[in-house]
Amino acid sequence: MKQRKPIVIANWKLNGGLDLICVSVASFIGKHFDADIAICPPYIYMRDMMTFLQFSELHIGSQNVSRFESGAYTGETSAQMLREAGCSLCLVGHSERRAMFGETNEGCRIKVQTVINHGLLPVLCVGENQQEREANITESVLYQQLHEGLANIELHDKDLCIAYEPVWAIGTGLAATPQIAQQVHQFIRTQLVELFGTATANRLRILYGGSVNKMNTRELLSQPDVDGLLVGGASLDPGHFLTICRQASDLAVA
Ligand code: PEP
């Protein structure tokens, strides 16, 4: 039995369309899960997804959010707008946004606070790249991402998730071993104790992401500090994603 309710999030990135939405949502209709399940489609499909959700327990998430509330910021989407669209969580600082769109720890910090202020769940993504792992500086990279990305964040008793996504594991088929995941998640929880105190750190969920599939789900989620999964490629196959969610739900109560 898991100490914290598992959470499984699908990150569709720049993939999918109406067909995938219909098939994915249909596979969840009428089913109960003892885990929180969310899909983050491209923004444009959120409203389409909403109309199908009445009969399922699925949540909608966004892959990004603006640090701004409103104004002359072409191409941005605010937390308030996402909330109005029915979104309940936002990924912040995914490694692809850090690498390709100049996302910084300070920018992530502003986004995390904005998301909290609007009553949504922020999922702050952190993780080292291959070079950093080989140089043995994983912990110092994560320390900086967490302490800068969460400095002076006011949680107001609200929820926050951290997604540990080693960059070398994303889309490569080389998932972290359950032992590596547990070791890093434990380190992240220690940082959350420093930032928010023991009681809060023990309630916050830490997700693992990077080449998750139905074959490695059970072992990863069996680790005491792995509270959820962020799933990229495997979430584009509705049957595969459903199997991952079912395993997470079963582990929650096993
Ligand atoms: C991701 O990019 O968030 C991710 C976890 O991708 P994948 O599962 O394809 O490695």
Side-chain angles (χ1 to χ4, degrees), residues 18-247:
L18 283 176
D19 286 358
L20 183 62
I21 286 172
C22 293
V23 181
S24 291
V25 176
S27 65
F28 282 88
I29 285 177
K31 298 193 173 90
H32 170 71
F33 294 86
D34 290 302
D36 292 327
I37 317 283
I39 294 179
C40 304
Y43 285 139
I44 191 81
Y45 296 121
M46 279 182 181
R47 292 302 289 232
D48 298 296
M49 194 173 268
M50 267 314 287
T51 59
F52 292 108
L53 285 192
Q54 305 168 53
F55 307 107
S56 88
E57 295 179 355
L58 274 177
H59 295 279
I60 297 178
S62 72
Q63 300 173 16
N64 186 26
V65 58
S66 179
R67 61 193 280 183
F68 303 107
E69 297 287 341
S70 64
Y73 303 106
T74 303
E76 292 285 276
T77 304
S78 72
Q80 167 76 24
M81 292 167 184
L82 290 169
R83 198 193 152 110
E84 279 178 11
C87 183
S88 48
L89 65 87
C90 301
L91 303 184
V92 174
H94 187 281
S95 64
E96 286 153 15
R97 296 215 57 84
R98 290 177 189 259
M100 291 184 269
F101 302 98
E103 197 97 51
T104 62
N105 290 334
E106 168 60 8
C108 289
R109 192 187 66 76
I110 295 168
K111 289 182 177 191
V112 166
Q113 190 65 67
T114 304
V115 169
I116 291 169
N117 293 348
H118 285 281
L120 301 167
L121 167 65
V123 180
L124 177 66
C125 303
V126 297
E128 82 286 4
N129 63 30
Q130 173 96 43
Q131 260 180 324
E132 292 162 340
R133 172 148 286 269
E134 282 167 6
N136 247 324
I137 56 169
T138 297
E139 290 195 352
S140 61
V141 169
L142 292 173
Y143 182 95
Q144 199 167 2
Q145 290 175 338
L146 291 164
H147 285 265
E148 292 181 5
L150 295 172
N152 302 316
I153 288 295
E154 299 201 16
L155 266 184
H156 308 297
D157 285 333
K158 301 256 184 58
D159 206 0
L160 160 76
C161 287
I162 305 297
Y164 169 55
E165 295 211 299
V167 180
W168 47 269
I170 295 180
T172 60
L174 294 170
T177 62
Q179 292 70 28
I180 289 180
Q182 169 57 24
Q183 193 179 25
V184 176
H185 282 223
Q186 209 168 16
F187 173 79
I188 291 173
R189 198 166 311 279
T190 308
Q191 305 319 307
L192 294 176
V193 170
E194 283 185 21
L195 286 156
F196 300 111
T198 308
T200 301
N202 282 337
R203 102 176 142 75
L204 299 183
R205 291 173 292 182
I206 306 172
L207 293 72
Y208 167 78
S211 296
V212 169
N213 58 48
K214 62 185 178 188
M215 306 303 286
N216 57 24
T217 288
R218 198 173 290 279
E219 228 192 323
L220 284 163
L221 266 184
S222 297
Q223 304 304 310
D225 285 290
V226 178
D227 309 310
L229 300 169
L230 182 49
V231 189
S235 72
L236 296 172
D237 174 339
H240 195 146
F241 185 59
L242 186 65
T243 304
I244 292 171
C245 295
R246 180 54 65 211
Q247 291 182 63

